Each structure stands twice: as structure tokens, then as C-alpha cells.
Amino acid sequence: MLSTSPKRAKRPLVLALDVGTSSSRAAIYDAFGRMVESTESRIAYRMHRTRGGGVEIEADELFNVACRNIDETIGRADNLAKEIRVVAPCTFWHSLVGVDRSAKALTPVYSWNDTRSSSEARQLADKLGIEWIHSRTGCMPHASYYPARLLWLRRAKPELYQKVARWMSFGEYFYLKIFGRALASVSMASGTGLFNPNANDWDAEMLQRVGIERRNLSPLAADDEALTGPKRQYARRWPQLASAAWMPAIGDGAANQIGSGCVTRNRVALMIGTSGAMRVCFEAAQVTVPRGLWCYRANRRYALLGGALSNGGDVFEWCQRALRLEPPKSTARNNKAVAQPDADVLERQLRAMQPDSHGLTVLPFFSGERSTGWADYARAAIVGISLSTEPLDILRAMMESVAYRFAAIYDLLREEISPSSRLIASGGALAHSTVWTQIMADCIGAMVIRSAAQEASERGAALLALHALGHIKKLDEAPAAHGELFEPDARRHERYKSGRTRQQILYEQLVAR
């Protein structure tokens, strides 16, 4: 674990904030990217979901969660908080909120997995062409990105749309509230679908096609640009941070990549949190993006190439809830108390199962599909259920189905990475399940190594901030501790090939158009 005691922490100190899609976390890191012990805080929250595919949260509600996170970390740091010199946030990519001229949020924060704009995404693909959009922005026409969402808002909420003066990510809104000024990092802008990752600028033609202007978006920050001097109420709330350099928020995927130590072509990040992603990060001014993948940026110097899944750890959580596999409660059945299995029991039961032995074929698209087919209208399907099917069969099949989607991304990445590449695994879902990590190695057919970074995204935000301010010369020089190694098993890999083939046939029957 990359951590240190307060006494041994090397200065300067960084307060890192990671606002994810289900929780917000904060902690203090030292100049080596080590978490300072006993400073981390975590606050869980839930976004509002609608049957029409909406996923959103009130902007000020999320703002208050992030602020409370900072409160808690500063409180836990005690006197050490006075030595914080940098604040480094990362937030989930593709979020969108509209504000008026007085900086008031007029819309909720729309999440990346809100699929209400899927019809607009298809219209963009038909009108502009998938290749044209992909070549200019590094993004596919999809409901996750701004172009489709802005067109949906213009159609579905025209009066609201007309009142919006600026569109921005949650990270920009967070700073707008604290400083009265919003800056977009290149990292955050690169995940909008309105940005050209090879020009490192907003794409003028894409803006024109969507019908918005640069003044409707936040100015782009330089890589080393920071904000200082928060508004009086926040300077009073956090006097320890009043003179700190506040770096613009970067995308959580970029932060996770850096925090996992994956900043060269021979280290591929495999992350499963609520969602999932597989990425490679490297220094590049220009990138050619294979179809099915995307290209974002960590900053103007480092590009990220990869794919993402809309469903990852939430698939496991859905199974626990819907199949009543929640950890331990006692439930009554036929007047007898029945204990629900806890996480350790589930792990043992899953480990005892043979690969692809359940007879099920699954499409895990609860929130639509991103990589590799980008079918935002897709939904989950389970085929092959019989009277002998048990809840554990469905859970195992779901876990394997997510691994199949990662294997498809890896196939597209093969030509972009070193032959000696290693997969570095991070994220809560894999950190808590050796079974799922082994399934990944076996399905993909490549070695998987767990990252020892306790919170890779937090750590990555801190490292990139230290790099931007000149405290770290190169990102790949930062120490990156790795943990348990998972070797692929050749026989299990062959078994999983059959499962992948069945999944692809089902995909073509139900999803592909």
C-alpha cells in the first residue's frame, strides 16, 4: 500500500478529491504520491434514476457532498492541514450541468450513464457520419457525450435550454461556486465529444454542428494553471487552503491511470468501479484512434486510448440486490431464519464454480453499451435460464459477461501496446474479489497485476498536480507499488472462448443494427 505516516510525509502536501458516480473521497498525499495515514474520508451518495434512462443529481447536493469531504479530511489531518499547498480534484468524466449568467445551476448534473439522448446520438451518426465524428473528437456518437445530450435538452426542454448561458462539467461548477470562475482542464474537455484531442482545443466544426459557441463553454486551462483565493465564505470555511493552488479538475479515468502507474505503452489499466474501463496512457501529440475505442487526454502531453463499459461493479451490486445475495441479514422463510451469504461466502462459492458452467449467456447492458459497439439503447439480457438455474449461476454469468466485454476492448488495444504489456487492475470491484480478477485474466488471456494504490484516482490527481507544478519531472518516475499477480490459465481461457462466441451471437441478434 502506498501510504506514509504524517511525520514521514515529504512536502509539499496535496489534498486530493475524487468525486465518483456513487461516492466522493478525499485524502492528503505527499510529494511521492503516498497517502498520509488517517486522513481519508468517504461519503456515499445516490443519483436519481428514472425509468426513461435518466441518471442525475442536483448540482448543489453534489457540491455539498464534495465540500463535506474536504471538511472531514481537513479535520482528520489536524495541524498537518496547514501544510497543504495544492488541491487536486478529479471528477467523473462526461458530466454536464447548465448554469445561467449569475452562475446558478439551472439543470441537475447529468451523469455519463444517462441514456435519454440515445435517439439524438443516432441522428448525429446518420447526419455527420460516425467516422467524421470519431476522427475529429476521439469520441463516438453516443448518449454519454455532450453533442447528443445538448440536442436532447434542446428538444425535450427548450425553455430551460434557452436560459442556460454556459455548459460545464461538475468539476467546473465546483470551482465556479468556490471561486466565481470556472476553468476546464484539457483532461475534462477531452471527454465531452466537443474537443479535438490532436489539436488540444475545442473543435470549432463540432461546436457549429451542435449549435453552441465557445463562450457557452468554460475556458481551457493551461496544464500548470491553478486558481487561488477562494471566495470569502470558503476562505473562512477552509483557512488552511486559502493560499493553496487549486488545480482544475481532471477526468477520474485519467487520474486512475496515473495513480495505477500506467503511463507507458507496456502498462494497461483495467479498472472496475461502478463502471469499467481499460486504457493505455502515453506521451503523444497526435493519436490515430481505432474504431470502437476513444481517445481522451490526461493533459496536453499525455494521451489516453481505450474503451469503457457503462456497467461494471454495478452489475455485481444489482445481482446482490435483485437476487437477494446481500450480505448478512436474517430473513424468514417458512418461519425459519435464513442467513444471507456474506462477501467471503460468496467468494468461496464463486471460486468453486467451473468456468462457463451455468449454461447462461448474458449481455450486461443495464445502462446501455459503450465500448465496443456504442449501442446506448442496448439493455441487459439473460438467456438460457432453466428450472435448475440458481442465483449464484446468474451472478457468475454476469461477472464473466463483463470480462468478455473487456476482452473485446483488449483485442482492439493489442496493436497500440507493447507485446510485453501487463494489465494493472484497480477499482473497488476487483480489489474485493480475487475470483473476478482471475476471471479477467483467464478471459483476456493476459497476466493481471493488482495495483497496491489504495485509491488510484485520488493518487493520480495528486501526482498530475505535482507534475504540473514541477515537483515531479515525469509521471512514470513516481513509485507504483503492485500487489497480487494473476496468471491466465490456458484451459479456462479456451472454455471462455465459447462463452465469448455465444455472447457475440446474442449481441448480433438483439443489439447490432
Side-chain angles (χ1 to χ4, degrees):
M1 185 182 298
L2 292 166
S3 62
T4 187
S5 68
K7 288 184 179 180
R8 294 185 177 182
K10 180 175 174 57
R11 275 57 172 175
L13 300 181
V14 182
L15 190 154
L17 172 69
D18 173 20
V19 182
T21 51
S22 58
S23 68
S24 179
R25 300 168 290 277
I28 294 175
Y29 286 76
D30 78 348
F32 290 139
R34 299 177 299 186
M35 182 189 290
V36 179
E37 294 166 356
S38 303
T39 64
E40 187 185 19
S41 68
R42 177 190 297 262
I43 300 174
Y45 71 91
R46 281 187 178 274
M47 292 197 177
H48 175 64
R49 296 173 180 267
T50 73
R51 287 192 177 273
V55 185
E56 60 188 43
I57 186 171
E58 290 302 314
D60 288 337
E61 179 184 349
L62 188 54
F63 174 80
N64 290 333
V65 168
C67 289
R68 283 169 47 212
N69 238 177
I70 295 176
D71 292 340
E72 290 185 8
T73 288
I74 288 176
R76 292 178 183 182
D78 199 19
N79 289 331
L80 193 69
K82 298 175 183 177
E83 299 188 56
I84 296 170
R85 296 293 176 264
V86 186
V87 178
C90 66
T91 63
F92 52 96
W93 254 323
H94 325 309
S95 64
L96 178 68
V97 57
V99 303
D100 64 14
R101 286 181 174 81
S102 64
K104 177 184 177 183
L106 297 178
T107 74
V109 177
Y110 299 109
S111 178
W112 52 267
N113 52 349
D114 188 312
T115 58
R116 286 175 288 187
S117 60
S118 59
S119 63
E120 279 73 18
R122 291 195 294 275
Q123 290 167 19
L124 280 167
D126 293 340
K127 184 177 180 180
L128 302 181
I130 293 174
E131 297 299 335
W132 187 89
I133 294 170
H134 192 230
S135 65
R136 296 196 69 86
T137 68
C139 302
M140 298 288 282
H142 192 269
S144 293
Y145 300 120
Y146 283 20
R149 190 157 296 152
L150 290 170
L151 294 178
W152 168 72
L153 283 164
R154 189 182 299 163
R155 172 182 62 82
K157 305 175 187 289
E159 292 184 6
L160 175 64
Y161 182 91
Q162 291 301 322
K163 294 177 182 177
V164 171
R166 278 189 291 167
W167 300 98
M168 60 186 63
S169 71
F170 171 72
E172 293 151 59
Y173 180 73
F174 183 69
Y175 274 20
L176 186 65
K177 295 271 288 186
I178 293 174
F179 293 95
R181 179 184 171 208
L183 281 177
S185 68
V186 161
S187 171
M188 194 60 68
S190 69
T192 63
L194 296 173
F195 183 87
N196 188 317
N198 287 324
N200 276 319
D201 198 3
W202 297 116
D203 190 89
E205 285 207 40
M206 198 66 198
L207 296 184
Q208 183 181 19
R209 299 299 180 96
V210 176
I212 63 171
E213 301 178 25
R214 292 178 73 104
R215 62 184 174 84
N216 301 128
L217 301 168
S218 298
L220 294 172
D223 286 347
D224 61 353
E225 189 170 358
L227 293 176
T228 57
K231 290 180 180 179
R232 184 177 303 173
Q233 70 186 96
Y234 299 106
R236 286 199 302 262
R237 183 170 182 171
W238 305 311
Q240 305 91 334
L241 307 179
S243 60
W246 295 61
M247 306 302 293
I250 64 170
D252 58 353
N256 179 273
Q257 191 84 18
I258 295 163
S260 300
C262 299
V263 286
T264 61
R265 288 185 184 267
N266 63 357
R267 290 291 182 270
V268 181
L270 167 62
M271 188 284 298
I272 305 185
T274 302
S275 58
M278 182 182 283
R279 307 166 297 248
V280 62
C281 179
F282 49 90
E283 293 186 63
Q286 300 286 313
V287 180
T288 300
V289 192
R291 183 166 178 173
L293 302 181
W294 43 249
C295 177
Y296 308 148
R297 285 201 165 268
N299 58 18
R300 286 174 172 80
R301 187 173 171 182
Y302 284 86
L304 284 96
L305 190 67
L309 306 183
S310 292
N311 297 106
D314 59 352
V315 169
F316 194 99
E317 291 173 7
W318 180 88
C319 286
Q320 284 186 301
R321 183 182 71 255
L323 304 177
R324 300 185 181 275
L325 293 168
E326 308 250 7
K329 289 180 183 176
S330 290
T331 59
R333 185 183 300 164
N334 297 328
N335 297 320
K336 294 181 180 180
V338 180
Q340 299 287 359
D342 63 17
D344 291 338
V345 172
L346 278 178
E347 275 283 290
R348 290 196 296 271
Q349 291 173 331
L350 289 165
R351 187 178 293 110
M353 298 178 71
Q354 292 299 310
D356 194 30
S357 60
H358 37 67
L360 303 175
T361 304
V362 173
L363 299 178
F365 303 141
F366 290 91
S367 299
E369 184 204 14
R370 286 192 280 174
S371 302
T372 58
W374 296 92
D376 44 20
Y377 51 83
R379 287 297 178 265
I382 307 172
V383 174
I385 293 176
S386 70
L387 290 174
S388 64
T389 301
E390 297 290 338
L392 202 67
D393 294 321
I394 298 174
L395 174 59
R396 174 85 188 205
M398 285 283 185
M399 295 165 70
E400 291 173 353
S401 74
V402 172
Y404 296 156
R405 306 317 298 169
F406 274 112
I409 296 171
Y410 189 74
D411 287 346
L412 294 178
L413 273 175
R414 284 182 191 275
E415 294 186 7
E416 309 297 330
I417 60 179
S418 166
S420 60
S421 289
R422 294 291 182 266
L423 287 165
I424 310 300
S426 65
L430 296 184
H432 294 108
S433 177
T434 59
V435 173
W436 208 355
T437 310
Q438 186 63 56
I439 289 172
M440 291 290 169
D442 292 336
C443 281
I444 296 167
M447 182 189 297
V448 175
I449 306 170
R450 272 188 176 163
S451 170
Q454 187 175 351
E455 292 290 347
S457 296
E458 273 180 16
R459 179 175 188 263
L463 288 174
L464 192 62
L466 291 166
H467 173 67
L469 297 177
H471 299 293
I472 295 176
K473 290 184 179 179
K474 294 191 70 176
L475 289 175
D476 58 2
E477 292 177 356
H482 295 142
E484 190 175 358
L485 185 151
F486 297 78
E487 291 275 9
D489 180 275
R491 283 184 294 183
R492 291 195 292 260
H493 182 63
E494 288 301 315
R495 289 282 299 270
Y496 284 134
K497 282 183 179 179
S498 174
R500 280 191 68 187
T501 298
R502 293 199 318 275
Q503 186 188 69
Q504 184 59 30
I505 292 171
L506 183 62
Y507 179 91
E508 291 170 0
Q509 291 173 335
L510 297 185
V511 178
R513 294 183 180 179

